[in-house]
Amino acid sequence: MANAMLLPVLISFLIMPFSAMALTQDFCVADLSCSDTPAGYPCKAGVSAGDFYYHGLAAAGNTSNLIKAAVTPAFVGQFPGVNGLGISAARLDIAMGGVVPLHTHPAASELLFVTEGTILAGFISSSSNTVYTKTLYKGDIMVFPQGLLHYQYNGGSSAAVALVAFSGPNPGLQITDYALFANNLPSAVVEKVTFLDDAQVKKLKSVLGGSG
């Protein structure tokens, strides 16, 4: 009973520092000369209007690559003004036939807004492996919950462009194909955990630059 009564008090003490910071500090522009931490970057000493502005998403990304797609980030590393604000952004360019393979953002949910072209997108729930897919056209938006595997590919007859918002300043990115086949994880291990045969694993490692 005593422990139950103490729990609200402990929770109050835990959230008080964050509440106080929110009330007394308008912003904390990242000092990128320091290391990132779970709580974000330390605050920069001298701040200007330029710290709250970023032009990097104006230009199209280079889609001349294996997946025919490019993600241009406006995360805290490129846009220090989002440090501590729980937001960031990116631009997604997908050429005809291009794809952003199954991937996850471990530290943020994603909101995708199509500005040009047609994008087929979907995500997979972690509880039941249910797939939620949708064809998105110019002006459409779709949300991808934090940590869930999702994908996008160009299903139209022209290049596709989308603007992406994230619920964290550094959402992280792990592409499943690259995690499995673009490193030195031994082929025998990959075969065991994926049920693929040796020839398939080695072919994918060759394509994606892996070894072992």
Side-chain angles (χ1 to χ4, degrees):
M1 181 66 177
N3 288 339
M5 293 176 64
L6 282 172
L7 185 59
V9 178
L10 290 172
I11 293 174
S12 297
F13 274 104
L14 286 171
I15 65 174
M16 276 175 61
F18 299 101
S19 301
M21 184 178 74
L23 290 171
T24 61
Q25 189 167 325
D26 291 334
F27 49 79
C28 177
V29 174
D31 184 349
L32 298 180
S33 67
C34 299
S35 298
D36 196 5
T37 73
Y41 283 92
C43 302
K44 179 180 173 181
V47 175
S48 70
D51 291 311
F52 304 100
Y53 162 85
Y54 185 63
H55 190 66
L57 304 188
N62 182 7
T63 58
S64 299
N65 51 55
L66 177 65
I67 63 175
K68 298 182 181 178
V71 177
T72 306
F75 302 161
V76 65
Q78 298 80 33
F79 190 12
V82 303
N83 187 52
L85 299 182
I87 56 172
S88 61
R91 171 180 172 143
L92 174 60
D93 290 274
I94 313 178
M96 287 178 56
V99 59
V100 182
L102 275 174
H103 64 283
T104 180
H105 303 290
S109 295
E110 172 183 340
L111 186 69
L112 182 140
F113 169 54
V114 180
T115 60
E116 294 179 28
T118 303
I119 294 177
L120 281 74
F123 67 88
I124 305 170
S125 71
S126 63
S127 57
S128 60
N129 286 322
T130 302
V131 181
Y132 299 90
T133 64
K134 198 71 179 173
T135 300
L136 307 175
Y137 303 97
K138 182 177 179 179
D140 289 344
I141 62 174
M142 185 169 182
V143 66
F144 306 90
Q146 180 174 339
L148 296 188
L149 287 167
H150 59 286
Y151 63 86
Q152 295 98 13
Y153 67 91
N154 188 335
S157 57
S158 63
V161 181
L163 296 178
V164 185
F166 294 97
S167 63
N170 195 11
L173 170 65
Q174 185 172 43
I175 298 176
T176 305
D177 292 332
Y178 287 87
L180 287 169
F181 306 110
N183 55 35
N184 62 353
L185 188 64
S187 295
V189 175
V190 179
E191 292 163 27
K192 289 289 186 183
V193 300
T194 62
F195 305 106
L196 297 174
D197 64 37
D198 183 66
Q200 291 171 315
V201 169
K202 288 182 176 174
K203 176 183 176 181
L204 289 166
K205 277 182 170 284
S206 176
V207 169
L208 297 175
S211 62

